[in-house]
Amino acid sequence: MSPPAGSVGGGPELIDLRVEPQRALEEAAAALRAGGVVLVPTDTVYGLAALTSEAEEDLFVLKARPDDRSIAVLVADRPAAESLAESVPPALAELMDRHWPGPLTVVLPRRRSAGPQVGGDLDTVGVRCPDHPWLCRLLAEVGPLATTSANRHAQQTPTNASEVLAALTPDLESDVRIAAAIDGGPCTGEASTVVAWQEGQLKILRPGPLDL
């Protein structure tokens, strides 16, 4: 059987949200709710997104990512971020108000009873509201998503959806695959700035596009 039109290497069909935004939204949401990993564009780089705990495990397999490395969570707005946290330090709240939506990830004390379980540190969760209208629609539809850059661990993230699929599909030793792939055009941004409030002061855990 031939692969679907728009598919790459027998992988999922690429759905261009610039042409079919509603179809892209519906199929991405359906795949996420069914426990699949979905390729999504963001305002920085392409990401792999998961809604269920099983899909979060698949993220680590697809990326060949060590289990002790955390994955951030994308949210539609600040209330969604606060629903995942025990508290929000005032300094981080100020940064969220100033730089969201945008390339800022804040590390907050994790509320154990809510939201994605994303590996690594069990006491904190990194959250970000992306400056990407279509993606925020998806987040409002399905809720917070565990999301990580769409690349093999320690490698560069391709800027095009087709290149991501080509990089992640071959030579996998398991049957884990991307369930749906959304093409949003080139994603050429820089990975977000990551900040935390530690020992009474703001700390930059990963430099990025924001000068803080």
Side-chain angles (χ1 to χ4, degrees), residues 21-68:
Q22 186 60 32
R23 180 191 171 206
L25 183 71
E26 292 172 356
E27 297 208 12
L32 288 163
R33 289 177 175 133
V37 175
V38 175
L39 173 66
V40 295
T42 79
D43 53 330
T44 57
V45 297
Y46 270 96
L48 297 174
L51 182 64
T52 68
S53 58
E54 294 81 4
E56 289 166 22
E57 294 176 2
D58 290 343
L59 286 182
F60 285 88
V61 175
L62 283 166
K63 283 180 64 77
R65 186 180 179 92
D67 292 341
D68 61 350

Side-chain angles (χ1 to χ4, degrees), residues 85-156:
E86 289 288 352
S87 62
V88 180
L92 295 183
E94 180 181 349
L95 289 178
M96 292 158 68
D97 288 339
R98 186 185 308 168
H99 297 291
W100 276 9
L104 173 72
T105 298
V106 296
V107 179
L108 302 173
R110 180 187 296 188
R111 178 177 296 172
R112 300 293 185 90
S113 61
Q117 303 300 309
V118 288
D121 183 3
L122 297 178
D123 297 322
T124 63
V125 58
V127 291
R128 185 170 85 85
C129 177
D131 188 11
H132 193 288
W134 178 88
L135 181 54
C136 282
R137 284 182 63 198
L138 177 64
L139 292 164
E141 175 78 17
V142 302
L145 292 173
T147 310
T148 180
S149 57
N151 57 275
R152 301 305 291 270
H153 182 62
Q155 296 182 6
Q156 292 293 319

